Every structure is written in C-alpha cells, then in structure tokens.
Amino acid sequence: MEENRNVPAELQQMLSDACWIGKSLFERNKTSGSSANMSFRYQDHIYITAGGGCFGRLTADSFAVTDLDGAVQNDRKPSKELPLHLAMYQKPGNPVAAVIHVHSFYATLWSCLPHEEDRDDVIPSYTPYLGMKLGKVRLVPYAKPGSEELFSAFRERMGEGNGYLLAHHGPVTGGAGLLDAFYGLEELEESARIAWELRKEGEALRI
C-alpha cells in the first residue's frame, strides 16, 4: 500500500495487512466475488470492508469507518454484517481487535451437516492446531444473512472462544489482531477440510 503521510504508521500497517489478507484469501479461493467481510479496531474506531467489495481488490479506501457503536464516520457504506463484527468487539472481557468472515469451501460444507450433539465444539479436533490457534468453534443456527435474526442468534451463541460457524453460511473468527484472526480462520478451514475427508473414510478418533 502506498504510504500516506496523513495516516499514522500503525494504521497504515493495519490497512496494509488487511489488504494482503484479503488478496491471499481471494487468490486461494477461500472467498469469491463480494461474499466476505473483514474488520479491525484502531483506537476508538472500527474499520470494516465496505458493502459489495471484493477481497481480491482491497485498497486503503475500501473500508468504512464506524465508532464502537456502529455509527458511520466516513463516506463508505459498511458491510451489512457489521453487527456480527460489533458483537465480537463488544463482548465483555474479550480483547478482540480484528474479525474475518468468509464463505470458505470446507467450512461451509461442514456447516451444512446436522450437528445436534456438538454445537459448542462443531469442528472435530483431529490435529492439535485448531485448539492451539483458535480453540473450540461454536455453531450458530441458520438465519438469513444480514438479518437481525442472524445477529441475535450470533449474540446468543457467543462463548469464551473466538471461532464460530454460521450454519449453511460460513466461518467467523476473531483475534487479537488481523494476522491472529487470519491464522485462526486458516486453521478452521483446514480442520474442516480434514474432517470432511475423514468423514468420507469413516470416523477417526479426536485428540
């Protein structure tokens, strides 16, 4: 990202990281079209990808800016799923500073299966890395994307961890920073891929 002398160096780095993450996810088919959203907190503001944006074309101007209650502070319209992000930032005792939501292939496949007994730990721990990077992943019941029903269900399902799987929709991860949220998302998707492949071969033991 080209340096802007009017933007603090810390914020420039965050915007640069966000653009890199978006491009990396898009180029590796972890998201497509305009179907993803990402945000980070800088001081008392939330920077979130604008509605209709594409992760493959993010620039420093691709972000809407809101206050911590979601009131828009610039001329960009935020993603319609801003309330999901705000819920993560507003959860008491949870120092989340970045949130990423995509519709990655294997996590979305896994979200379409019935999960009646493992809603608080929906991704099997066949390797130790999901627990190391993210922790347990909670399932959120289906509601229409962008709806108040979805936001309410998400808030009700929030727990101690920062990993969620929206049923028939896709994953949401939070982290102490953008790269932390990104690494958690990567591990969630990889764990879902492993779980899906093992499901085809027969159930394996969890760690």
Side-chain angles (χ1 to χ4, degrees), residues 107-108 110-123 136-142 153-154 156-158 163-170:
T108 302
W110 197 255
S111 81
C112 294
L113 297 176
H115 296 285
E116 297 180 359
E117 299 179 356
D118 54 1
R119 291 163 55 86
D120 292 341
D121 188 14
V122 72
I123 305 291
K136 294 180 179 180
V137 177
R138 297 170 70 92
L139 182 70
V140 178
Y142 177 78
F154 185 78
E156 289 178 4
R157 290 294 295 148
M158 293 185 76
Y164 299 90
L165 190 61
L166 310 181
H168 300 269
H169 190 159

PDB file of all heavy atoms in Angstrom, residues 107-108 110-123 136-142 153-154 156-158 163-170:
ATOM      1  N   ALA A 107     -15.347 -25.256   5.306  1.00  0.00           N
ATOM      2  CA  ALA A 107     -16.083 -24.825   6.491  1.00  0.00           C
ATOM      3  C   ALA A 107     -17.569 -24.680   6.180  1.00  0.00           C
ATOM      4  O   ALA A 107     -18.429 -25.047   6.999  1.00  0.00           O
ATOM      5  CB  ALA A 107     -15.515 -23.512   7.022  1.00  0.00           C
ATOM      6  N   THR A 108     -17.884 -24.172   4.986  1.00  0.00           N
ATOM      7  CA  THR A 108     -19.283 -24.039   4.605  1.00  0.00           C
ATOM      8  C   THR A 108     -19.924 -25.406   4.386  1.00  0.00           C
ATOM      9  O   THR A 108     -21.072 -25.643   4.802  1.00  0.00           O
ATOM     10  CB  THR A 108     -19.420 -23.163   3.349  1.00  0.00           C
ATOM     11  OG1 THR A 108     -18.832 -21.874   3.606  1.00  0.00           O
ATOM     12  CG2 THR A 108     -20.876 -22.968   2.976  1.00  0.00           C
ATOM     13  N   TRP A 110     -19.085 -28.129   5.926  1.00  0.00           N
ATOM     14  CA  TRP A 110     -19.268 -28.686   7.263  1.00  0.00           C
ATOM     15  C   TRP A 110     -20.452 -28.029   7.971  1.00  0.00           C
ATOM     16  O   TRP A 110     -21.163 -28.672   8.737  1.00  0.00           O
ATOM     17  CB  TRP A 110     -17.986 -28.517   8.071  1.00  0.00           C
ATOM     18  CG  TRP A 110     -17.935 -29.398   9.282  1.00  0.00           C
ATOM     19  CD1 TRP A 110     -18.111 -29.016  10.581  1.00  0.00           C
ATOM     20  CD2 TRP A 110     -17.695 -30.804   9.309  1.00  0.00           C
ATOM     21  NE1 TRP A 110     -17.997 -30.103  11.417  1.00  0.00           N
ATOM     22  CE2 TRP A 110     -17.744 -31.216  10.655  1.00  0.00           C
ATOM     23  CE3 TRP A 110     -17.441 -31.758   8.314  1.00  0.00           C
ATOM     24  CZ2 TRP A 110     -17.559 -32.538  11.048  1.00  0.00           C
ATOM     25  CZ3 TRP A 110     -17.252 -33.075   8.701  1.00  0.00           C
ATOM     26  CH2 TRP A 110     -17.316 -33.453  10.043  1.00  0.00           C
ATOM     27  N   SER A 111     -20.685 -26.751   7.686  1.00  0.00           N
ATOM     28  CA  SER A 111     -21.785 -26.034   8.340  1.00  0.00           C
ATOM     29  C   SER A 111     -23.149 -26.516   7.870  1.00  0.00           C
ATOM     30  O   SER A 111     -24.162 -26.210   8.509  1.00  0.00           O
ATOM     31  CB  SER A 111     -21.657 -24.528   8.079  1.00  0.00           C
ATOM     32  OG  SER A 111     -22.161 -24.165   6.798  1.00  0.00           O
ATOM     33  N   CYS A 112     -23.194 -27.247   6.756  1.00  0.00           N
ATOM     34  CA  CYS A 112     -24.465 -27.723   6.210  1.00  0.00           C
ATOM     35  C   CYS A 112     -24.866 -29.088   6.755  1.00  0.00           C
ATOM     36  O   CYS A 112     -25.980 -29.555   6.494  1.00  0.00           O
ATOM     37  CB  CYS A 112     -24.386 -27.792   4.679  1.00  0.00           C
ATOM     38  SG  CYS A 112     -24.213 -26.173   3.886  1.00  0.00           S
ATOM     39  N   LEU A 113     -23.985 -29.742   7.512  1.00  0.00           N
ATOM     40  CA  LEU A 113     -24.304 -31.034   8.112  1.00  0.00           C
ATOM     41  C   LEU A 113     -25.117 -30.834   9.385  1.00  0.00           C
ATOM     42  O   LEU A 113     -25.021 -29.786  10.032  1.00  0.00           O
ATOM     43  CB  LEU A 113     -23.019 -31.784   8.450  1.00  0.00           C
ATOM     44  CG  LEU A 113     -22.108 -32.165   7.279  1.00  0.00           C
ATOM     45  CD1 LEU A 113     -20.837 -32.823   7.807  1.00  0.00           C
ATOM     46  CD2 LEU A 113     -22.829 -33.098   6.316  1.00  0.00           C
ATOM     47  N   PRO A 114     -25.911 -31.839   9.782  1.00  0.00           N
ATOM     48  CA  PRO A 114     -26.598 -31.738  11.078  1.00  0.00           C
ATOM     49  C   PRO A 114     -25.590 -31.895  12.210  1.00  0.00           C
ATOM     50  O   PRO A 114     -24.744 -32.784  12.184  1.00  0.00           O
ATOM     51  CB  PRO A 114     -27.584 -32.910  11.035  1.00  0.00           C
ATOM     52  CG  PRO A 114     -26.985 -33.891  10.075  1.00  0.00           C
ATOM     53  CD  PRO A 114     -26.261 -33.071   9.041  1.00  0.00           C
ATOM     54  N   HIS A 115     -25.659 -31.030  13.182  1.00  0.00           N
ATOM     55  CA  HIS A 115     -24.730 -31.078  14.315  1.00  0.00           C
ATOM     56  C   HIS A 115     -25.553 -30.956  15.600  1.00  0.00           C
ATOM     57  O   HIS A 115     -25.560 -29.917  16.266  1.00  0.00           O
ATOM     58  CB  HIS A 115     -23.716 -29.933  14.237  1.00  0.00           C
ATOM     59  CG  HIS A 115     -22.821 -29.993  13.048  1.00  0.00           C
ATOM     60  ND1 HIS A 115     -21.776 -30.887  12.941  1.00  0.00           N
ATOM     61  CD2 HIS A 115     -22.820 -29.277  11.897  1.00  0.00           C
ATOM     62  CE1 HIS A 115     -21.151 -30.708  11.794  1.00  0.00           C
ATOM     63  NE2 HIS A 115     -21.770 -29.737  11.137  1.00  0.00           N
ATOM     64  N   GLU A 116     -26.232 -32.031  15.953  1.00  0.00           N
ATOM     65  CA  GLU A 116     -27.152 -31.964  17.083  1.00  0.00           C
ATOM     66  C   GLU A 116     -26.449 -32.113  18.429  1.00  0.00           C
ATOM     67  O   GLU A 116     -26.959 -31.651  19.442  1.00  0.00           O
ATOM     68  CB  GLU A 116     -28.228 -33.036  16.930  1.00  0.00           C
ATOM     69  CG  GLU A 116     -29.105 -32.844  15.689  1.00  0.00           C
ATOM     70  CD  GLU A 116     -30.157 -33.916  15.550  1.00  0.00           C
ATOM     71  OE1 GLU A 116     -30.187 -34.815  16.420  1.00  0.00           O
ATOM     72  OE2 GLU A 116     -30.942 -33.870  14.582  1.00  0.00           O
ATOM     73  N   GLU A 117     -25.283 -32.753  18.453  1.00  0.00           N
ATOM     74  CA  GLU A 117     -24.636 -33.056  19.727  1.00  0.00           C
ATOM     75  C   GLU A 117     -23.355 -32.263  19.969  1.00  0.00           C
ATOM     76  O   GLU A 117     -22.768 -32.373  21.044  1.00  0.00           O
ATOM     77  CB  GLU A 117     -24.332 -34.554  19.812  1.00  0.00           C
ATOM     78  CG  GLU A 117     -25.576 -35.437  19.737  1.00  0.00           C
ATOM     79  CD  GLU A 117     -25.235 -36.910  19.802  1.00  0.00           C
ATOM     80  OE1 GLU A 117     -24.018 -37.232  19.833  1.00  0.00           O
ATOM     81  OE2 GLU A 117     -26.164 -37.739  19.818  1.00  0.00           O
ATOM     82  N   ASP A 118     -22.889 -31.509  18.993  1.00  0.00           N
ATOM     83  CA  ASP A 118     -21.576 -30.862  19.120  1.00  0.00           C
ATOM     84  C   ASP A 118     -21.630 -29.383  18.786  1.00  0.00           C
ATOM     85  O   ASP A 118     -20.709 -28.823  18.232  1.00  0.00           O
ATOM     86  CB  ASP A 118     -20.558 -31.566  18.221  1.00  0.00           C
ATOM     87  CG  ASP A 118     -21.012 -31.661  16.755  1.00  0.00           C
ATOM     88  OD1 ASP A 118     -22.120 -31.162  16.446  1.00  0.00           O
ATOM     89  OD2 ASP A 118     -20.270 -32.223  15.946  1.00  0.00           O
ATOM     90  N   ARG A 119     -22.716 -28.724  19.143  1.00  0.00           N
ATOM     91  CA  ARG A 119     -22.914 -27.329  18.760  1.00  0.00           C
ATOM     92  C   ARG A 119     -21.910 -26.382  19.412  1.00  0.00           C
ATOM     93  O   ARG A 119     -21.676 -25.293  18.910  1.00  0.00           O
ATOM     94  CB  ARG A 119     -24.340 -26.895  19.103  1.00  0.00           C
ATOM     95  CG  ARG A 119     -25.392 -27.552  18.244  1.00  0.00           C
ATOM     96  CD  ARG A 119     -26.780 -27.443  18.857  1.00  0.00           C
ATOM     97  NE  ARG A 119     -27.134 -26.077  19.151  1.00  0.00           N
ATOM     98  CZ  ARG A 119     -27.690 -25.235  18.272  1.00  0.00           C
ATOM     99  NH1 ARG A 119     -27.927 -25.640  17.042  1.00  0.00           N
ATOM    100  NH2 ARG A 119     -27.998 -24.011  18.626  1.00  0.00           N
ATOM    101  N   ASP A 120     -21.316 -26.801  20.543  1.00  0.00           N
ATOM    102  CA  ASP A 120     -20.327 -25.965  21.213  1.00  0.00           C
ATOM    103  C   ASP A 120     -18.895 -26.320  20.819  1.00  0.00           C
ATOM    104  O   ASP A 120     -17.949 -25.683  21.290  1.00  0.00           O
ATOM    105  CB  ASP A 120     -20.470 -26.074  22.731  1.00  0.00           C
ATOM    106  CG  ASP A 120     -21.761 -25.445  23.238  1.00  0.00           C
ATOM    107  OD1 ASP A 120     -22.347 -24.624  22.505  1.00  0.00           O
ATOM    108  OD2 ASP A 120     -22.181 -25.782  24.360  1.00  0.00           O
ATOM    109  N   ASP A 121     -18.748 -27.326  19.973  1.00  0.00           N
ATOM    110  CA  ASP A 121     -17.423 -27.781  19.539  1.00  0.00           C
ATOM    111  C   ASP A 121     -17.597 -28.474  18.198  1.00  0.00           C
ATOM    112  O   ASP A 121     -17.398 -29.669  18.062  1.00  0.00           O
ATOM    113  CB  ASP A 121     -16.840 -28.728  20.592  1.00  0.00           C
ATOM    114  CG  ASP A 121     -15.388 -29.098  20.331  1.00  0.00           C
ATOM    115  OD1 ASP A 121     -14.742 -28.429  19.487  1.00  0.00           O
ATOM    116  OD2 ASP A 121     -14.900 -30.058  20.950  1.00  0.00           O
ATOM    117  N   VAL A 122     -17.981 -27.676  17.189  1.00  0.00           N
ATOM    118  CA  VAL A 122     -18.527 -28.239  15.957  1.00  0.00           C
ATOM    119  C   VAL A 122     -17.466 -28.753  14.985  1.00  0.00           C
ATOM    120  O   VAL A 122     -17.763 -29.579  14.125  1.00  0.00           O
ATOM    121  CB  VAL A 122     -19.447 -27.188  15.272  1.00  0.00           C
ATOM    122  CG1 VAL A 122     -18.637 -26.050  14.674  1.00  0.00           C
ATOM    123  CG2 VAL A 122     -20.337 -27.826  14.231  1.00  0.00           C
ATOM    124  N   ILE A 123     -16.224 -28.296  15.108  1.00  0.00           N
ATOM    125  CA  ILE A 123     -15.151 -28.763  14.218  1.00  0.00           C
ATOM    126  C   ILE A 123     -14.326 -29.817  14.960  1.00  0.00           C
ATOM    127  O   ILE A 123     -13.711 -29.512  15.978  1.00  0.00           O
ATOM    128  CB  ILE A 123     -14.231 -27.607  13.777  1.00  0.00           C
ATOM    129  CG1 ILE A 123     -15.034 -26.483  13.130  1.00  0.00           C
ATOM    130  CG2 ILE A 123     -13.156 -28.125  12.829  1.00  0.00           C
ATOM    131  CD1 ILE A 123     -15.625 -26.821  11.789  1.00  0.00           C
ATOM    132  N   LYS A 136     -12.190 -23.972  20.596  1.00  0.00           N
ATOM    133  CA  LYS A 136     -13.419 -24.608  20.131  1.00  0.00           C
ATOM    134  C   LYS A 136     -14.232 -23.652  19.268  1.00  0.00           C
ATOM    135  O   LYS A 136     -14.223 -22.443  19.474  1.00  0.00           O
ATOM    136  CB  LYS A 136     -14.248 -25.079  21.325  1.00  0.00           C
ATOM    137  CG  LYS A 136     -13.588 -26.194  22.123  1.00  0.00           C
ATOM    138  CD  LYS A 136     -14.460 -26.622  23.285  1.00  0.00           C
ATOM    139  CE  LYS A 136     -13.784 -27.755  24.063  1.00  0.00           C
ATOM    140  NZ  LYS A 136     -14.624 -28.193  25.215  1.00  0.00           N
ATOM    141  N   VAL A 137     -14.924 -24.240  18.291  1.00  0.00           N
ATOM    142  CA  VAL A 137     -15.737 -23.469  17.356  1.00  0.00           C
ATOM    143  C   VAL A 137     -17.204 -23.758  17.638  1.00  0.00           C
ATOM    144  O   VAL A 137     -17.634 -24.921  17.638  1.00  0.00           O
ATOM    145  CB  VAL A 137     -15.384 -23.822  15.899  1.00  0.00           C
ATOM    146  CG1 VAL A 137     -16.293 -23.078  14.928  1.00  0.00           C
ATOM    147  CG2 VAL A 137     -13.922 -23.510  15.619  1.00  0.00           C
ATOM    148  N   ARG A 138     -17.989 -22.710  17.859  1.00  0.00           N
ATOM    149  CA  ARG A 138     -19.410 -22.857  18.196  1.00  0.00           C
ATOM    150  C   ARG A 138     -20.272 -22.676  16.947  1.00  0.00           C
ATOM    151  O   ARG A 138     -20.009 -21.809  16.105  1.00  0.00           O
ATOM    152  CB  ARG A 138     -19.809 -21.829  19.257  1.00  0.00           C
ATOM    153  CG  ARG A 138     -19.073 -22.011  20.576  1.00  0.00           C
ATOM    154  CD  ARG A 138     -19.302 -20.834  21.513  1.00  0.00           C
ATOM    155  NE  ARG A 138     -20.664 -20.785  22.012  1.00  0.00           N
ATOM    156  CZ  ARG A 138     -21.070 -21.363  23.152  1.00  0.00           C
ATOM    157  NH1 ARG A 138     -20.202 -22.044  23.884  1.00  0.00           N
ATOM    158  NH2 ARG A 138     -22.314 -21.261  23.557  1.00  0.00           N
ATOM    159  N   LEU A 139     -21.316 -23.495  16.843  1.00  0.00           N
ATOM    160  CA  LEU A 139     -22.248 -23.414  15.724  1.00  0.00           C
ATOM    161  C   LEU A 139     -23.346 -22.407  16.026  1.00  0.00           C
ATOM    162  O   LEU A 139     -23.911 -22.385  17.122  1.00  0.00           O
ATOM    163  CB  LEU A 139     -22.869 -24.789  15.466  1.00  0.00           C
ATOM    164  CG  LEU A 139     -23.830 -24.875  14.274  1.00  0.00           C
ATOM    165  CD1 LEU A 139     -23.059 -24.745  12.964  1.00  0.00           C
ATOM    166  CD2 LEU A 139     -24.615 -26.186  14.306  1.00  0.00           C
ATOM    167  N   VAL A 140     -23.650 -21.564  15.040  1.00  0.00           N
ATOM    168  CA  VAL A 140     -24.739 -20.594  15.132  1.00  0.00           C
ATOM    169  C   VAL A 140     -25.847 -21.053  14.197  1.00  0.00           C
ATOM    170  O   VAL A 140     -25.587 -21.310  13.015  1.00  0.00           O
ATOM    171  CB  VAL A 140     -24.257 -19.182  14.734  1.00  0.00           C
ATOM    172  CG1 VAL A 140     -25.406 -18.179  14.779  1.00  0.00           C
ATOM    173  CG2 VAL A 140     -23.112 -18.737  15.644  1.00  0.00           C
ATOM    174  N   PRO A 141     -27.083 -21.193  14.669  1.00  0.00           N
ATOM    175  CA  PRO A 141     -28.163 -21.689  13.803  1.00  0.00           C
ATOM    176  C   PRO A 141     -28.420 -20.760  12.624  1.00  0.00           C
ATOM    177  O   PRO A 141     -28.164 -19.564  12.686  1.00  0.00           O
ATOM    178  CB  PRO A 141     -29.373 -21.771  14.743  1.00  0.00           C
ATOM    179  CG  PRO A 141     -29.054 -20.857  15.876  1.00  0.00           C
ATOM    180  CD  PRO A 141     -27.564 -20.907  16.033  1.00  0.00           C
ATOM    181  N   TYR A 142     -28.985 -21.344  11.568  1.00  0.00           N
ATOM    182  CA  TYR A 142     -29.183 -20.575  10.337  1.00  0.00           C
ATOM    183  C   TYR A 142     -30.219 -19.469  10.504  1.00  0.00           C
ATOM    184  O   TYR A 142     -31.263 -19.641  11.123  1.00  0.00           O
ATOM    185  CB  TYR A 142     -29.627 -21.477   9.185  1.00  0.00           C
ATOM    186  CG  TYR A 142     -29.901 -20.667   7.941  1.00  0.00           C
ATOM    187  CD1 TYR A 142     -28.844 -20.200   7.153  1.00  0.00           C
ATOM    188  CD2 TYR A 142     -31.203 -20.298   7.599  1.00  0.00           C
ATOM    189  CE1 TYR A 142     -29.078 -19.414   6.036  1.00  0.00           C
ATOM    190  CE2 TYR A 142     -31.445 -19.512   6.484  1.00  0.00           C
ATOM    191  CZ  TYR A 142     -30.368 -19.075   5.702  1.00  0.00           C
ATOM    192  OH  TYR A 142     -30.613 -18.283   4.614  1.00  0.00           O
ATOM    193  N   ALA A 153     -29.097 -14.438  16.919  1.00  0.00           N
ATOM    194  CA  ALA A 153     -28.634 -15.813  17.143  1.00  0.00           C
ATOM    195  C   ALA A 153     -27.146 -15.846  17.423  1.00  0.00           C
ATOM    196  O   ALA A 153     -26.675 -16.607  18.280  1.00  0.00           O
ATOM    197  CB  ALA A 153     -28.970 -16.677  15.936  1.00  0.00           C
ATOM    198  N   PHE A 154     -26.407 -15.003  16.722  1.00  0.00           N
ATOM    199  CA  PHE A 154     -24.958 -14.949  16.927  1.00  0.00           C
ATOM    200  C   PHE A 154     -24.632 -14.470  18.340  1.00  0.00           C
ATOM    201  O   PHE A 154     -23.801 -15.073  19.031  1.00  0.00           O
ATOM    202  CB  PHE A 154     -24.330 -14.024  15.884  1.00  0.00           C
ATOM    203  CG  PHE A 154     -22.824 -13.984  15.930  1.00  0.00           C
ATOM    204  CD1 PHE A 154     -22.081 -15.005  15.378  1.00  0.00           C
ATOM    205  CD2 PHE A 154     -22.156 -12.930  16.526  1.00  0.00           C
ATOM    206  CE1 PHE A 154     -20.689 -14.982  15.416  1.00  0.00           C
ATOM    207  CE2 PHE A 154     -20.780 -12.889  16.575  1.00  0.00           C
ATOM    208  CZ  PHE A 154     -20.041 -13.917  16.012  1.00  0.00           C
ATOM    209  N   GLU A 156     -26.466 -14.676  20.961  1.00  0.00           N
ATOM    210  CA  GLU A 156     -26.883 -15.692  21.927  1.00  0.00           C
ATOM    211  C   GLU A 156     -25.892 -16.847  22.010  1.00  0.00           C
ATOM    212  O   GLU A 156     -25.758 -17.479  23.062  1.00  0.00           O
ATOM    213  CB  GLU A 156     -28.267 -16.228  21.549  1.00  0.00           C
ATOM    214  CG  GLU A 156     -29.393 -15.235  21.772  1.00  0.00           C
ATOM    215  CD  GLU A 156     -30.735 -15.793  21.337  1.00  0.00           C
ATOM    216  OE1 GLU A 156     -30.792 -16.985  20.933  1.00  0.00           O
ATOM    217  OE2 GLU A 156     -31.732 -15.035  21.389  1.00  0.00           O
ATOM    218  N   ARG A 157     -25.202 -17.138  20.916  1.00  0.00           N
ATOM    219  CA  ARG A 157     -24.294 -18.280  20.869  1.00  0.00           C
ATOM    220  C   ARG A 157     -22.865 -17.910  21.241  1.00  0.00           C
ATOM    221  O   ARG A 157     -21.998 -18.782  21.309  1.00  0.00           O
ATOM    222  CB  ARG A 157     -24.304 -18.895  19.462  1.00  0.00           C
ATOM    223  CG  ARG A 157     -25.597 -19.602  19.106  1.00  0.00           C
ATOM    224  CD  ARG A 157     -25.805 -20.825  19.979  1.00  0.00           C
ATOM    225  NE  ARG A 157     -24.765 -21.819  19.696  1.00  0.00           N
ATOM    226  CZ  ARG A 157     -24.278 -22.662  20.596  1.00  0.00           C
ATOM    227  NH1 ARG A 157     -24.690 -22.614  21.843  1.00  0.00           N
ATOM    228  NH2 ARG A 157     -23.344 -23.543  20.258  1.00  0.00           N
ATOM    229  N   MET A 158     -22.599 -16.659  21.499  1.00  0.00           N
ATOM    230  CA  MET A 158     -21.238 -16.253  21.805  1.00  0.00           C
ATOM    231  C   MET A 158     -20.762 -16.895  23.095  1.00  0.00           C
ATOM    232  O   MET A 158     -21.488 -16.958  24.084  1.00  0.00           O
ATOM    233  CB  MET A 158     -21.131 -14.728  21.902  1.00  0.00           C
ATOM    234  CG  MET A 158     -21.354 -14.036  20.572  1.00  0.00           C
ATOM    235  SD  MET A 158     -21.085 -12.254  20.652  1.00  0.00           S
ATOM    236  CE  MET A 158     -19.305 -12.209  20.692  1.00  0.00           C
ATOM    237  N   GLY A 163     -14.078 -18.433  17.689  1.00  0.00           N
ATOM    238  CA  GLY A 163     -14.378 -19.139  16.453  1.00  0.00           C
ATOM    239  C   GLY A 163     -15.838 -19.531  16.375  1.00  0.00           C
ATOM    240  O   GLY A 163     -16.385 -20.106  17.330  1.00  0.00           O
ATOM    241  N   TYR A 164     -16.483 -19.216  15.246  1.00  0.00           N
ATOM    242  CA  TYR A 164     -17.904 -19.526  15.065  1.00  0.00           C
ATOM    243  C   TYR A 164     -18.134 -20.045  13.650  1.00  0.00           C
ATOM    244  O   TYR A 164     -17.443 -19.657  12.703  1.00  0.00           O
ATOM    245  CB  TYR A 164     -18.759 -18.276  15.298  1.00  0.00           C
ATOM    246  CG  TYR A 164     -18.604 -17.740  16.689  1.00  0.00           C
ATOM    247  CD1 TYR A 164     -17.612 -16.801  16.984  1.00  0.00           C
ATOM    248  CD2 TYR A 164     -19.393 -18.201  17.735  1.00  0.00           C
ATOM    249  CE1 TYR A 164     -17.426 -16.332  18.278  1.00  0.00           C
ATOM    250  CE2 TYR A 164     -19.211 -17.732  19.027  1.00  0.00           C
ATOM    251  CZ  TYR A 164     -18.228 -16.804  19.292  1.00  0.00           C
ATOM    252  OH  TYR A 164     -18.039 -16.354  20.566  1.00  0.00           O
ATOM    253  N   LEU A 165     -19.128 -20.924  13.531  1.00  0.00           N
ATOM    254  CA  LEU A 165     -19.529 -21.433  12.227  1.00  0.00           C
ATOM    255  C   LEU A 165     -21.015 -21.151  12.064  1.00  0.00           C
ATOM    256  O   LEU A 165     -21.840 -21.678  12.816  1.00  0.00           O
ATOM    257  CB  LEU A 165     -19.248 -22.937  12.135  1.00  0.00           C
ATOM    258  CG  LEU A 165     -19.398 -23.575  10.754  1.00  0.00           C
ATOM    259  CD1 LEU A 165     -18.427 -22.942   9.753  1.00  0.00           C
ATOM    260  CD2 LEU A 165     -19.158 -25.081  10.841  1.00  0.00           C
ATOM    261  N   LEU A 166     -21.349 -20.280  11.110  1.00  0.00           N
ATOM    262  CA  LEU A 166     -22.739 -19.951  10.831  1.00  0.00           C
ATOM    263  C   LEU A 166     -23.327 -21.070   9.971  1.00  0.00           C
ATOM    264  O   LEU A 166     -22.808 -21.356   8.892  1.00  0.00           O
ATOM    265  CB  LEU A 166     -22.838 -18.619  10.090  1.00  0.00           C
ATOM    266  CG  LEU A 166     -22.076 -17.425  10.687  1.00  0.00           C
ATOM    267  CD1 LEU A 166     -22.315 -16.181   9.834  1.00  0.00           C
ATOM    268  CD2 LEU A 166     -22.478 -17.182  12.132  1.00  0.00           C
ATOM    269  N   ALA A 167     -24.381 -21.705  10.439  1.00  0.00           N
ATOM    270  CA  ALA A 167     -24.959 -22.833   9.716  1.00  0.00           C
ATOM    271  C   ALA A 167     -25.384 -22.434   8.309  1.00  0.00           C
ATOM    272  O   ALA A 167     -25.983 -21.377   8.109  1.00  0.00           O
ATOM    273  CB  ALA A 167     -26.169 -23.376  10.496  1.00  0.00           C
ATOM    274  N   HIS A 168     -25.019 -23.273   7.331  1.00  0.00           N
ATOM    275  CA  HIS A 168     -25.348 -23.045   5.915  1.00  0.00           C
ATOM    276  C   HIS A 168     -24.826 -21.687   5.431  1.00  0.00           C
ATOM    277  O   HIS A 168     -25.441 -21.057   4.567  1.00  0.00           O
ATOM    278  CB  HIS A 168     -26.862 -23.136   5.692  1.00  0.00           C
ATOM    279  CG  HIS A 168     -27.449 -24.449   6.065  1.00  0.00           C
ATOM    280  ND1 HIS A 168     -27.580 -25.489   5.176  1.00  0.00           N
ATOM    281  CD2 HIS A 168     -27.916 -24.909   7.254  1.00  0.00           C
ATOM    282  CE1 HIS A 168     -28.122 -26.530   5.786  1.00  0.00           C
ATOM    283  NE2 HIS A 168     -28.325 -26.200   7.047  1.00  0.00           N
ATOM    284  N   HIS A 169     -23.700 -21.258   5.964  1.00  0.00           N
ATOM    285  CA  HIS A 169     -23.238 -19.893   5.667  1.00  0.00           C
ATOM    286  C   HIS A 169     -21.713 -19.821   5.626  1.00  0.00           C
ATOM    287  O   HIS A 169     -21.139 -19.572   4.568  1.00  0.00           O
ATOM    288  CB  HIS A 169     -23.830 -18.952   6.717  1.00  0.00           C
ATOM    289  CG  HIS A 169     -23.660 -17.508   6.444  1.00  0.00           C
ATOM    290  ND1 HIS A 169     -24.463 -16.535   7.024  1.00  0.00           N
ATOM    291  CD2 HIS A 169     -22.768 -16.824   5.694  1.00  0.00           C
ATOM    292  CE1 HIS A 169     -24.084 -15.341   6.614  1.00  0.00           C
ATOM    293  NE2 HIS A 169     -23.049 -15.484   5.812  1.00  0.00           N
ATOM    294  N   GLY A 170     -21.030 -20.007   6.758  1.00  0.00           N
ATOM    295  CA  GLY A 170     -19.575 -19.920   6.734  1.00  0.00           C
ATOM    296  C   GLY A 170     -18.993 -19.523   8.078  1.00  0.00           C
ATOM    297  O   GLY A 170     -19.724 -19.248   9.036  1.00  0.00           O
TER     298      GLY A 170
END
